[in-house]
């Protein structure tokens, strides 16, 4: 609290603002009176005086208290609507996070080991750039041995995420590609574009 003789800065600012408002309002009214015909201002003053008389009428419930109750109800409703709209986005984000956690904990896709996940990322990379995924290119991309890659690809084939194609002819090769379930897995779990 401010001691006697010392005024709080808030009090000084409030007094300065109110004095400034009265000075500006008086200057504006004098300028408008000088340069414009103010019959509208006289009419508005008449309406305001009539409204003031209505507020001061004697009745079982004074009119001013009725207006205050209506103003409180409207302001309470406005605040409620504001907070409801403001928190709506937060609840949407929370719902999205909960959905991701639920999907991660209750997957409709099989759980993969780290090597299998690496192989899925490599195959998704090949599919994304329309490259042929053979055993050598996958080994180079994931930095695993050929035996590890072969074992991981067989496990992914057993889970029906990857399929193997063998081409015949002079330049026959074995290529690997994602199945539809593998593509869904890559899109959802690996968050690829």
């Amino acid at each position: 609290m401010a001691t006697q003789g010392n005024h709080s800065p808030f009090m000084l600012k409030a007094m300065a603002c109110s004095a400034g408002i009265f000075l500006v309002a008086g200057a504006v009214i004098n300028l408008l009176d000088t340069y414009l015909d103010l019959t509208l201002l006289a009419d508005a003053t008449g309406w305001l005086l009539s409204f003031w008389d209505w507020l001061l009428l004697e009745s079982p419930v004074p009119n001013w208290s009725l207006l205050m109750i209506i103003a409180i109800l409207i302001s309470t409703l406005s605040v409620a609507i504001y907070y409801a709209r403001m928190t709506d986005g937060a609840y949407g984000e929370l719902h999205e996070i909960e959905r991701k956690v639920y999907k991660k904990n209750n997957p409709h896709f099989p759980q993969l080991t780290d090597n299998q996940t690496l192989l899925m990322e490599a195959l998704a990379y090949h599919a994304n750039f329309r490259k042929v995924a053979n055993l050598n290119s996958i080994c180079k991309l994931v930095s695993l041995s050929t035996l590890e890659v072969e074992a991981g690809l067989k496990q992914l084939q057993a889970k029906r995420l990857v399929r193997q194609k063998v081409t015949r002819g002079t330049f026959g090769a074995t290529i690997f590609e994602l199945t539809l379930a593998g593509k869904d897995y890559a899109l959802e779990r690996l968050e690829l574009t």
Side-chain angles (χ1 to χ4, degrees), residues 7 18 23 37 44 57 69 85 96 105 123 135 140 155 166 169 175 189 191:
H7 297 288
S18 59
L23 288 174
D37 182 27
L57 280 177
I69 291 171
R85 287 183 175 221
E96 185 67 24
N105 293 335
L123 290 169
L135 195 58
K140 288 177 186 175
Q155 292 166 355
V166 179
I175 59 172
R189 298 300 293 272
E191 298 179 5

Side-chain angles (χ1 to χ4, degrees), residues 104 107 109-122 142 144 147-157 159 161-162 185 189-190:
K104 189 163 184 101
F109 293 114
Q111 292 290 67
L112 300 181
T113 64
D114 291 339
N115 286 348
Q116 291 172 348
T117 305
L118 270 174
L119 292 172
M120 286 295 292
E121 288 175 353
V142 295
L144 294 174
L147 290 176
E148 290 175 322
V149 170
E150 285 178 345
L153 287 173
K154 285 182 183 177
Q155 292 166 355
L156 290 173
Q157 286 176 358
K159 293 180 180 183
L161 296 174
V162 174
Y185 181 91
R189 298 300 293 272
L190 304 177

